[in-house]
Amino acid sequence: MIVAIDGPAAAGKGTLAKRLAAALGLPYLDTGVLYRATAKRVLEAGKDPADTQAAVEAARSLGKDDLARTDLRDAVTSKAASQVASIPAVRQALLDFQRHFGNSHGAVLDGRDIGTIIFPHADVKLFVTASVEARATRRHLEFLGRGEDVALADVIADVQARDEADRTRAAAPLMKAADAELIDTTYMDADAAFTHALEMIRRKTTVRA
């Protein structure tokens, strides 16, 4: 079974996807990590994330160690990840990796284009969103938890810029698949979102987890 979870930054889709994968006994892939790891490689090479050749080379050379890094969620890498993700050749380079992962044993995958591009025929599609303010507050707390002193206003501006970039990019823009179930987590905690999503999956499949 393939469960595709899409949505904007900090909507809670990663937390939800991990819990669903555990409950369903499926592998989990945060596809955003692929773009963050690609961006980190480009930055550490001293190159521009908007440089197509540099970004594609980085995407093609990713290994397990790159994906396991714990320093991929800082503000600089997040911005660079959005830049490399807008490059069609980078998305193409990472497409086969994502499809192979999901087709091997089934999976829960979260990202921006899972239900529209990567797995358009997924068994279940969820689109997880929340207000800009709610998402920015969550991201701000993440930064503070890592000891990063970032102003909330700056985080709000970053989230808005990321949303605009994700929605308007030419390659696989962020959008809700026509057959995706919408989950708005603005006023929903992680437990409530999980319970709601699992019920949706049960209604659409024979799963009894």
Side-chain angles (χ1 to χ4, degrees):
M1 179 169 67
I2 300 292
V3 179
I5 304 179
D6 292 306
K13 63 184 181 296
T15 299
L16 175 60
K18 290 176 187 175
R19 291 187 64 175
L20 288 175
L24 299 171
L26 292 171
Y28 162 67
L29 179 63
D30 172 5
T31 63
V33 167
L34 300 175
Y35 296 97
R36 289 176 180 274
T38 296
K40 182 66 79 172
R41 267 188 169 266
V42 173
L43 291 172
E44 292 186 339
K47 297 181 179 179
D48 184 350
D51 182 330
T52 296
Q53 182 176 346
V56 170
E57 288 177 355
R60 289 175 176 168
S61 64
L62 290 182
K64 291 183 179 179
D65 290 343
D66 292 295
L67 303 184
R69 293 181 61 156
T70 59
D71 58 349
L72 299 177
R73 294 191 175 276
D74 59 273
V76 173
T77 303
S78 294
K79 181 177 180 180
S82 183
Q83 290 178 281
V84 301
S86 70
I87 301 173
V90 170
R91 305 196 73 87
Q92 185 62 40
L94 296 174
L95 185 147
D96 287 343
F97 180 98
Q98 296 172 73
R99 285 184 174 165
H100 177 73
F101 184 96
N103 286 327
S104 294
H105 304 287
V108 177
L109 304 93
D110 77 80
R112 301 290 194 281
D113 63 346
I114 310 303
T116 54
I117 302 296
I118 309 302
F119 285 105
H121 303 297
D123 299 282
V124 178
K125 298 179 187 179
L126 305 176
F127 190 88
V128 183
T129 190
S131 69
V132 169
E133 292 75 14
R135 292 185 288 121
T137 298
R138 294 168 189 169
R139 183 54 53 84
H140 184 237
L141 290 174
E142 289 178 9
F143 287 141
L144 294 180
R146 293 197 297 268
E148 298 180 44
D149 187 14
V150 181
L152 177 58
D154 291 338
V155 181
I156 291 175
D158 181 67
V159 167
Q160 291 174 324
R162 181 71 185 271
D163 286 352
E164 181 66 14
D166 286 341
R167 285 194 300 262
T168 60
R169 67 182 177 223
L174 170 67
M175 65 175 66
K176 176 183 174 295
D179 54 347
E181 300 277 0
L182 178 67
I183 299 179
D184 189 327
T185 67
T186 301
Y187 303 107
M188 191 181 294
D189 64 19
D191 288 340
F194 170 71
T195 299
H196 186 51
L198 193 56
E199 183 57 34
M200 286 182 170
I201 293 172
R202 286 171 174 160
R203 288 203 308 267
K204 296 179 73 69
T205 68
T206 59
V207 168
R208 291 292 179 266

